[in-house]
């Protein structure tokens, strides 16, 4: 996984619980914790960090990933500032992840393997996103979607449906009333 | 015992430091890969450039030898043709019989046409070789143009039973930057064409200057070109016959116009008669 994801997680944890918590997490997970956005690190380190957090807090892993995703989004956006219209529409942003932003991510690093986030506009107030990945981190995706609503100040609610074959997850995203 | 806060800070510092070192290492590797890729690209570009230069050289050689062949051909044909013309002139003095006289005249015309054709071919080939005909790139004074046209074309016009009128309306000292050689060739083509087509004459050559532009008009009363646009496309057939009659002259006019900084326009009057107008920028 790209270092930027680790950076985003670190930032989220530090923001929510302070730098000391991040130190403790690293210790608990047994990872050395020096991550640069340019680097790539084993997925297992991310899972170890999330596992350690679950152990330390008692919050289950999907919930943790949702929280992390929600707070990590601004860090990711900061990496591709020029591709994001902060005054635009949150649905436009979410619909551009697959064809624009994750594409750009792959251009910068051909080894990066971001997930498929297919977008379908059901109506003006409903966007359907289908997540497909070998990593199985739908909760992270859900957090990132909610975080997008926060960032655009256009709050959204997400209804999650695990796909029939387990390899995909469908999110129905609505504008919060 | 160390203060635990200090220990934490030291560990964070160590993490940051090693992250920075790693980032630098990755960036350096990236730059090195870029550098190597650029070097490969440079080599590739150099090789492609060499190939292209070689291809261009070969093509140039081929075109040059074709030009040389055509130039030699037209020069060499002209000597025997001049011989034929000389002999016909001698013969003309000898024959008394009207019928034979007509044959000699016809043979002379044909030989002259052929001679003209080969002169044009030579000129065309030379123009193709980067306009090599004009070693002289000096500007042309218009009063010289007027005089030259009179000297060169008054007699041939009379031979064709036509009157040539040259009107130079420009102020003394007016000049254009185009060299005299190429401009002269262009006018020769236009005037000769007018003389052949004037019906029954006269042919008028008018030089004028206005608003920093010099126009040279060659007007005859012969049938015009049915559709002026056709002149721009040599592949179109030409019901009026005017275009076709230009023969080799047509591509020559186009080539000369391209090489001179000139525009050529053709007016066909409703009452019959054709004006070819060459426009150039005046200097001085
Ligand atoms: C500007 C915004 C974004 C940027 C720059 C970005 C960039 C990235 C990068 C670099 C990765 C790591 C890929 C790898 O290491 O192979 C990644 C993974 C991921 N991205 Fe995005 N992303 C953005 C927005 C989003 C959004 C809005 C979503 C949710 C809809 C999303 C969903 C995910 C998920 C779930 C992963 C984890 C990997 C996986 O599940 O396969 N991303 N993204």
């Amino acid at each position: 996984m790209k270092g930027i994801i680790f950076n985003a997680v670190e930032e989220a944890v530090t923001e929510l619980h302070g730098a000391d918590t991040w130190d403790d997490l690293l210790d608990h997970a047994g990872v050395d914790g020096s991550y640069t956005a340019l680097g790539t690190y084993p997925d297992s380190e991310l899972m170890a960090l999330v596992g350690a957090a679950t152990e330390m807090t008692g919050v289950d892993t999907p919930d943790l990933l949702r929280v992390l995703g929600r707070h990590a989004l601004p860090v990711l956006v900061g990496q591709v500032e020029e591709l994001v219209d902060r005054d635009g529409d949150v649905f436009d942003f979410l619909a551009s992840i697959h064809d624009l932003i994750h594409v750009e991510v792959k251009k910068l690093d051909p080894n990066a393997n971001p997930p498929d986030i297919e977008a379908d506009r059901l109506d003006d107030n409903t966007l359907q996103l289908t997540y497909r990945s070998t990593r199985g981190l739908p909760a992270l995706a859900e957090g990132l979607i909610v975080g997008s609503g926060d960032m655009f100040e256009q709050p959204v609610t997400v209804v999650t449906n695990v796909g029939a074959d387990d390899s995909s997850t469908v999110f129905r995203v609505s504008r919060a009333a | 015992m160390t203060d635990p806060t200090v220990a934490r800070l030291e560990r964070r510092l160590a993490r940051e430091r090693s992250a920075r070192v790693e980032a630098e290492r990755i960036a350096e590797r990236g730059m090195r890969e870029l550098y190597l890729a650029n070097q490969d690209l440079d080599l590739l570009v150099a090789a492609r450039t060499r190939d292209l230069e070689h291809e261009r050289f070969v093509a140039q050689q081929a075109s040059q030898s074709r030009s040389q062949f055509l130039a030699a051909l037209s020069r060499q044909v002209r000597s025997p043709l001049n011989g034929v013309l000389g002999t016909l002139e001698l013969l003309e003095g000898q024959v008394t019989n009207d019928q034979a006289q007509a044959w000699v005249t016809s043979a002379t015309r044909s030989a002259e046409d052929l001679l003209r054709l080969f002169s044009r071919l030579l000129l065309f080939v030379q123009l193709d070789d980067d306009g090599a005909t004009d070693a002289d790139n000096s500007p042309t004074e218009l009063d010289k143009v007027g005089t030259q046209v009179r000297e060169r074309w008054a007699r041939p016009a009379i031979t064709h039973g036509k009157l040539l009128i040259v009107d130079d309306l420009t102020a003394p000292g007016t000049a254009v930057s185009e060299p005299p050689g190429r401009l002269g060739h262009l006018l020769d083509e236009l005037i000769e064409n007018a003389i052949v087509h004037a019906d029954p004459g006269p042919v008028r050559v008018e030089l004028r200057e206005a608003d920093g532009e010099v126009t040279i008009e060659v007007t005859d009363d012969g049938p015009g070109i049915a559709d002026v646009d056709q002149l721009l496309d040599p592949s179109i057939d030409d019901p009026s016959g005017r275009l076709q009659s230009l023969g080799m002259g047509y591509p020559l006019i186009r080539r000369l116009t391209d090489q001179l900084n000139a525009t050529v326009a053709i007016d066909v009057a409703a009452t019959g008669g054709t004006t070819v107008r060459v426009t150039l920028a005046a200097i001085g």
Side-chain angles (χ1 to χ4, degrees), chain B residues 24-250:
Chain B
E24 284 168 355
R25 189 177 52 74
I26 294 168
E28 215 163 87
R29 197 180 53 211
M31 284 191 305
R32 194 176 154 67
E33 276 165 9
L34 198 62
Y35 171 76
L36 291 175
N38 271 339
Q39 272 203 327
D40 285 352
L41 210 59
D42 281 351
L43 285 175
L44 209 66
V45 169
R48 282 294 292 147
T49 310
R50 255 197 329 273
D51 289 354
L52 285 174
E53 257 162 19
H54 179 72
E55 279 166 29
R56 195 177 61 113
F57 178 75
V58 171
Q60 229 172 17
Q61 292 273 302
S63 141
Q64 217 167 37
S65 51
R66 196 193 53 204
S67 301
Q68 277 166 358
F69 173 77
L70 285 174
L73 175 74
S74 33
R75 269 193 215 98
Q76 283 173 20
V77 162
R78 282 191 303 173
S79 320
L81 261 182
N82 278 318
V84 170
L85 279 167
T87 313
L88 284 170
E89 207 177 320
L90 291 175
L91 200 58
E92 199 176 16
Q94 300 291 313
V95 289
T96 45
N97 168 325
D98 274 357
Q99 178 64 64
Q101 190 66 261
W103 287 338
V104 171
T105 307
S106 157
T108 305
R109 277 276 157 85
S110 303
E112 278 170 354
D113 283 351
L114 209 52
L115 192 60
R116 182 84 192 115
L117 181 69
F118 277 102
S119 303
R120 280 169 164 163
L121 179 61
L122 181 61
L123 180 58
F124 192 81
V125 168
Q126 284 170 335
L127 287 173
D128 232 12
D129 288 349
D130 267 337
T133 40
D134 258 309
D136 176 15
N137 261 328
S138 59
T140 306
E141 289 167 28
L142 288 185
D143 36 359
K144 292 222 176 88
V145 172
T147 314
Q148 218 168 28
V149 166
R150 258 183 230 108
E151 278 171 2
R152 188 165 160 66
W153 289 105
R155 188 177 294 274
I158 288 167
T159 316
H160 278 79
K162 313 282 164 62
L163 186 63
L164 177 75
I165 303 164
V166 181
D167 267 343
D168 181 0
L169 306 175
T170 60
T174 308
V176 291
S177 60
E178 282 68 19
R182 258 177 277 176
L183 185 56
H185 289 311
L186 179 60
L187 292 180
D188 284 350
E189 286 305 323
L190 297 178
I191 294 169
E192 189 188 22
N193 191 250
I195 287 174
V196 172
H197 287 278
D199 187 24
V203 170
R204 188 182 289 275
V205 179
E206 214 170 81
L207 294 87
R208 259 180 287 141
E209 188 210 348
D211 304 327
E213 275 185 351
V214 167
T215 52
I216 304 176
E217 286 184 356
V218 180
T219 305
D220 65 70
D221 60 355
I225 294 153
D227 180 352
V228 174
D229 289 342
Q230 288 181 356
L231 192 58
L232 300 176
D233 187 347
S235 64
I236 290 176
D237 68 350
D238 161 36
S240 72
R242 182 63 174 268
L243 189 56
Q244 214 173 18
S245 70
L246 286 174
M248 274 293 288
Y250 174 69

Side-chain angles (χ1 to χ4, degrees), chain A residues 1-2 76 80 97 101-102 105 112-113 115 131 133 135 144:
Chain A
M1 187 85 80
K2 289 301 298 173
L76 293 179
V80 290
I97 298 299
I101 292 175
H102 278 172
V105 164
N113 186 21
Y131 164 87
S133 167
R135 290 193 174 111
L144 287 164

Side-chain angles (χ1 to χ4, degrees), chain A residues 1-6 37 39-41 43 46 73-81 83-84 93-94 96-97 101-102 105-106 109 111-117 129 131-146 148 171:
Chain A
M1 187 85 80
K2 289 301 298 173
I4 183 74
I5 300 288
F6 288 85
T40 303
Y41 306 90
D43 285 9
L46 185 66
L73 185 91
V75 180
L76 293 179
V77 169
Q79 208 195 18
V80 290
E81 202 66 67
L83 299 179
V84 180
F93 168 73
L94 289 171
S96 75
I97 298 299
I101 292 175
H102 278 172
V105 164
K106 276 205 73 91
D109 184 349
N111 295 320
N113 186 21
D116 266 12
I117 309 281
L129 294 174
Y131 164 87
R132 282 189 199 85
S133 167
T134 52
R135 290 193 174 111
L137 293 169
L140 183 65
E142 194 184 323
L144 287 164
I145 296 167
V146 175
S148 303
F171 303 105

